[in-house]
Amino acid sequence: MRIYSLFFLLSVLSFCTSKKTSRVNEKEAEWKRGTFGFDLEFIKKYKSTLVLSDKEGKAKVLLVGDYQARVMTSSAHGDGGKSYGWINYKLIESGRIPQHINPVGGEDRFWMGPEGGQYSIFFKKGNPFDFDHWQTPALIDSEPFELVSSDNARASFRKKAFVTNYQGFTFNVEIERSIQLLDSIAVSQAFGTIPSVDFVAYQSENLIRNKGSRWKKETGLLSIWILGMFNPSPNTVIILPHQVATKHTRVTTDYFGKIPADRMQGNPEVLLLKGDGDHRSKVGIAPRIAKNVAGSYDQDHHVLTIIKFDLDQDGDYVNSKWEKQAFPYKGDAANAYNDGPLRGGEQLGPFFELESSSAVRELSAGETIAHKSMTVHFEGEESRLNEIAKSVLGVSLYDLKFQ
């Protein structure tokens, strides 16, 4: 072993320490809280992850198979870019699975409906429709999905399970779910010519196959329910375009009581709801008047989010209200939720949600229902984002005002 002078050794150590500190500081700066890199490194400590990425490493999507193949978050600017999905850091860090629901977050998660009513899969037969008896089925809440295949731009998953509804009918299901990263050509095909802005886009394709006895309306049907949980800001507005409501088809705004006028603006063809995570409120659009797009705009960070989904305006949609229902197959096709404190002051988030559901139908053994949902985050100059909003959502970003 060669012997170095103390002076030389100290000099080398000082140089190396300086370089190492510099690299650590650069890494910390690159992966500060709120960035995709931070969220990726955080989740990797607890679960196996899978990242879809374009060739440039700008558009990225983070998947976790153990969390029912959720898209946990995404970025339009690589690891150092803004992380769009809401993540429940404290819960993931704790390793616990709470009673009722395991709300780890995620901006595209697979659920099934109905949530409430006489065909609910969240309540056991005979139980009252209240929070104490509400329980998210394990197959869509805490059980892993199996990874079938993956590459840089696509991943496919599968899940086989049983679930029993309020009527006591047990569904034997096979779930197939794949997430595909989308390029500019696919986005243009979906929305038309897009101005020059940064974006990340992906589509989840979801399928339920009946592996057992026939599903009938009188014993209950299942829907595919895709929910996206996003980070709120004081000036985020949720945008739900729709057709003019009729006497028999309306916009539902009273899920959790009346929404104050300064938090919601209902116009004939668009509903605006604050997405600030400060007031618990939910709205829904019936399929007959729904459009196959919804969105949100974060005015503080200039992020326009749009979801586009399958819609059958003449189809049957499950009703998820927590009550015995006169019309269990006249539910919503699109929903939005803004989180907020409960009566005791506790709060799950804050976050807000954009949601879509599939239509339902009776299925014989081997038959399927499917639902596709596209999510795109555009980030850039407001004037260019406004062009997209007007073209796709039918609103100007400069008109997102409340009373």
Side-chain angles (χ1 to χ4, degrees), residues 188 191-195 388 391:
S188 295
F191 300 127
T193 303
I194 298 297
I388 301 171
S391 173

Side-chain angles (χ1 to χ4, degrees), residues 82-359:
K82 181 175 175 60
S83 186
Y84 300 119
W86 179 77
I87 293 173
N88 194 337
Y89 302 106
K90 289 184 179 179
L91 179 59
I92 294 173
E93 200 169 30
S94 74
R96 296 185 303 107
I97 298 179
Q99 187 181 6
H100 304 300
I101 185 175
N102 186 35
V104 294
E107 61 171 90
D108 183 303
R109 81 175 187 268
F110 179 95
W111 261 21
M112 296 189 301
E115 182 180 0
Q118 56 266 46
Y119 303 119
S120 168
I121 59 171
F122 287 70
F123 291 91
K124 291 183 179 180
K125 187 174 183 177
N127 282 347
F129 296 110
D130 57 33
F131 184 77
D132 288 340
H133 295 89
W134 176 72
Q135 179 62 53
T136 311
L139 81 157
I140 56 171
D141 188 52
S142 57
E143 295 181 356
F145 280 24
E146 174 193 358
L147 177 64
V148 176
S149 63
S150 67
D151 56 32
N152 289 337
R154 185 182 180 92
S156 297
F157 299 84
R158 180 173 52 209
K159 176 69 176 178
K160 297 180 180 180
F162 296 89
V163 62
T164 301
N165 69 8
Y166 194 84
Q167 292 293 317
F169 182 84
T170 297
F171 299 91
N172 182 352
V173 301
E174 181 177 39
I175 299 165
E176 295 178 5
R177 174 167 161 83
S178 64
I179 296 89
Q180 171 79 48
L181 187 67
L182 302 177
D183 59 16
S184 58
I185 296 175
V187 174
S188 295
Q189 288 174 343
F191 300 127
T193 303
I194 298 297
S196 179
V197 293
D198 293 314
F199 71 87
V200 57
Y202 61 88
Q203 180 170 268
S204 70
E205 298 179 17
N206 308 274
L207 178 147
I208 299 176
R209 178 176 291 106
N210 176 13
K211 300 290 287 184
S213 57
R214 182 172 174 78
W215 301 357
K216 302 177 182 179
K217 277 190 172 182
E218 57 265 31
T219 51
L221 302 177
L222 296 178
S223 70
I224 297 170
W225 186 5
I226 303 300
L227 305 93
M229 306 172 82
F230 304 101
N231 292 307
S233 78
N235 294 299
T236 291
V237 178
I238 298 167
I239 306 164
L240 289 176
H242 57 81
Q243 299 177 37
V244 176
T246 67
K247 180 180 179 181
H248 302 289
T249 305
R250 67 188 185 96
V251 176
T252 302
T253 60
D254 59 351
Y255 276 92
F256 302 124
K258 185 177 180 180
I259 302 174
D262 63 346
R263 305 197 62 84
M264 184 184 73
Q265 183 70 57
N267 296 324
E269 296 187 5
V270 66
L271 185 149
L272 304 178
L273 180 71
K274 284 193 175 183
D276 57 4
D278 274 348
H279 184 89
R280 189 167 181 254
S281 47
K282 182 176 180 178
V283 297
I285 310 294
R288 287 289 180 91
I289 61 169
K291 294 188 176 181
N292 68 340
V293 291
S296 65
Y297 182 54
D298 181 345
Q299 300 175 63
D300 296 332
H301 302 98
H302 291 180
V303 175
L304 174 66
T305 297
I306 296 177
I307 64 170
K308 183 177 182 179
F309 46 89
D310 290 342
L311 173 67
D312 181 357
Q313 291 187 312
D314 296 319
D316 291 321
Y317 283 75
V318 297
N319 188 338
S320 282
K321 281 194 171 183
W322 289 17
E323 61 187 19
K324 289 286 185 70
Q325 300 154 359
F327 303 103
Y329 297 107
K330 292 189 179 296
D332 298 324
N335 294 91
Y337 172 78
N338 185 50
D339 191 41
L342 299 174
R343 290 182 179 179
E346 67 275 10
Q347 184 171 357
L348 176 61
F351 57 84
F352 71 91
E353 289 184 327
L354 299 176
E355 311 172 8
S356 69
S357 294
S358 72

